[in-house]
Each structure stands twice: as structure tokens, then as C-alpha cells.
Amino acid sequence: MQGQNMKLDARIIIRIIALIALIVSLCILAVYIIGDMRDAQSDRNIDDLKNNDVKLPDVLDEYAGLYAENSDTVGWLKIDGTEIDNVVMFAPDEIDKYLHRDFYGNDSYRGCLFVDEFCDVLHSDNLIIYGHNMKDGSMFGTLDKYASKSFYSEHKYIQFDTIYEKHTYEVVAAIKTSIPPDNEDCFRYYEYTAVDDEEMFIEYIQFIEQNRLYDTGIELEPVDKLLTLSTCAYHTTDGRFVVVAKQVD
């Protein structure tokens, strides 16, 4: 009889644990669903702010509404053939501010696209933009389409406007790399944001040429202005997928 009671108690405990696990799973799922709904609403609000009737000195009319709502707005990135069509943020005084915040400053696991805090948006030779590799394709979730040369061949150009000027960039390279440990002597592409430093620029060009997944036939020179798009990748520990483009207009 005692053995039967013990078996019964064990079954009850197992059922309680299973119920708790189910409740926790449902709570986590609810958090993600609510987050997705809020992000979707945020996207709609951002679209409404773009091309509205706000006028600001020196700021392009197309982006004046966005800048008026959040002065961290630095531009807009669009790549045909992908879902990348997003506002870009810049907060040099607060590192990774938009890593997990949306345009309105709310917590968001997908965050925003944002420029590296060490860049000078108007003068840097290389502007680096980061974004999460989201499974739903948002942010930089479709950037890795450039791993395919055939995709590159049909989508060679990237539009990145600052709030002051419109620019077109031609894709130069797609690269699979990784973030090295602090004590490891490896190339840190994310440190190459210099202004008028020809030596660093040449080092970056060498990294691109040695690591690109396919030959685009495009050569770089120290006078070029570059755009580097960076997201997480899973081919190795701390992997990154990088697309480099040069300004052509």
C-alpha cells in the first residue's frame, strides 16, 4: 500500500512539474506574440512618420517627421529583393542603445538597425550598420541572401539615405567571419570606422579581398566611401555575416 502511495505521489509531482512547464512556455510565447504585435504597430507608426508634412532645416522632407519624433534618426536603408526597408538609428553617446530597443525606446528583442557609435555619419570612410538576424526576416534577417552570387547579380545596389542626403551603394563583397575573443589576434572589421586613415583603409580592403565569398569584379581604392552591413551568423561560434558596398552616387 505504501508503495502504491509513493507511485501516486510521484505521478502527482510529475503532473505538477509538467503543468508548471506548460504555463511557463505559454507565458514565454505570450511575451513573444505581444512583442511581435508591438513591433508591427511600431513599423506602421514609422511608416506614417516617413513622408509626412513636417519640415526641418537641413533635413530631407522625407525624413523630417522621423527626426522630429526621435532625433537619433540618422537615415533609411533599403535593399530590393529583401525585407530590409527600415529606419536607421545613431546614438554615439549610448553604446548599443538600439540593440534591444525600438524606435520609440521600448524594449524590443529585435531592436533597430543602428550605426556603429564610433562612426562619423557625415565623414567616416566606412559606415557600419548593425542589425539582428531575425528568423521572421525583419531587421537583417534577409541580409544573408547575399551569400548567393546569383542573388547578388540581380541586386547589386543598396540605397542608404542619411537624413541629409540620398546615396546609392554598389555591393563589393559578402563575407562570413566571426567576432574573435578579446585575447585573440584576429581581424576586427568593426574597428575600421576611421576618417581619412589610408593605412587602416588598405588593411580593410585586404580583409575584404581575402575573405569575400565570390568575386564581384569590383576593386576598391582609398578614396572610396564604404557601407558595411553586419549581422549574426551561425556557421561558427560568434559568427557574423557582412556585406560591404561602396558609394556610387
Side-chain angles (χ1 to χ4, degrees), residues 54-185:
V54 175
K55 306 290 183 182
L56 292 173
D58 300 324
V59 176
L60 294 173
D61 291 347
E62 184 175 356
Y63 304 116
L66 290 164
Y67 184 78
E69 181 70 25
N70 186 337
S71 60
D72 288 340
T73 302
V74 73
W76 193 277
L77 181 70
K78 179 177 174 59
I79 305 178
D80 290 338
T82 74
E83 295 187 32
I84 299 168
D85 189 9
N86 303 93
V87 65
V88 179
M89 313 304 290
F90 182 50
D93 297 326
E94 188 173 345
I95 296 176
D96 294 339
K97 178 177 180 179
Y98 289 97
L99 187 65
H100 291 295
R101 289 190 206 172
D102 68 12
F103 176 82
Y104 297 96
N106 300 313
D107 290 338
S108 170
Y109 59 88
R110 74 174 188 171
C112 286
L113 302 185
F114 63 95
V115 174
D116 188 289
E117 61 269 10
F118 291 106
C119 288
D120 179 334
V121 175
L122 295 180
H123 303 104
S124 285
D125 297 323
N126 181 33
L127 293 178
I128 303 178
I129 299 178
Y130 301 107
H132 286 298
N133 186 353
M134 301 301 298
K135 291 182 179 180
D136 65 359
S138 62
M139 299 301 113
F140 277 166
T142 52
L143 185 65
D144 58 5
K145 285 187 174 184
Y146 278 107
S148 165
K149 187 174 183 179
S150 61
F151 179 83
Y152 153 77
S153 297
E154 297 179 1
H155 305 88
K156 294 184 178 182
Y157 297 99
I158 293 172
Q159 186 73 31
F160 175 56
D161 303 338
T162 69
I163 58 174
Y164 309 107
E165 299 176 329
K166 290 179 171 290
H167 291 296
T168 301
Y169 293 78
E170 184 175 8
V171 174
V172 173
I175 297 168
K176 288 184 178 180
T177 185
S178 62
I179 300 294
D182 291 338
N183 61 349
E184 189 173 323
D185 186 19

Side-chain angles (χ1 to χ4, degrees), residues 9 21 61 81 110 120 131 139 159 196 210 214 225 228 236:
D9 290 343
D61 291 347
R110 74 174 188 171
D120 179 334
M139 299 301 113
Q159 186 73 31
D196 298 328
Q210 293 169 4
Y214 44 81
K225 296 290 187 181
T228 298
T236 187

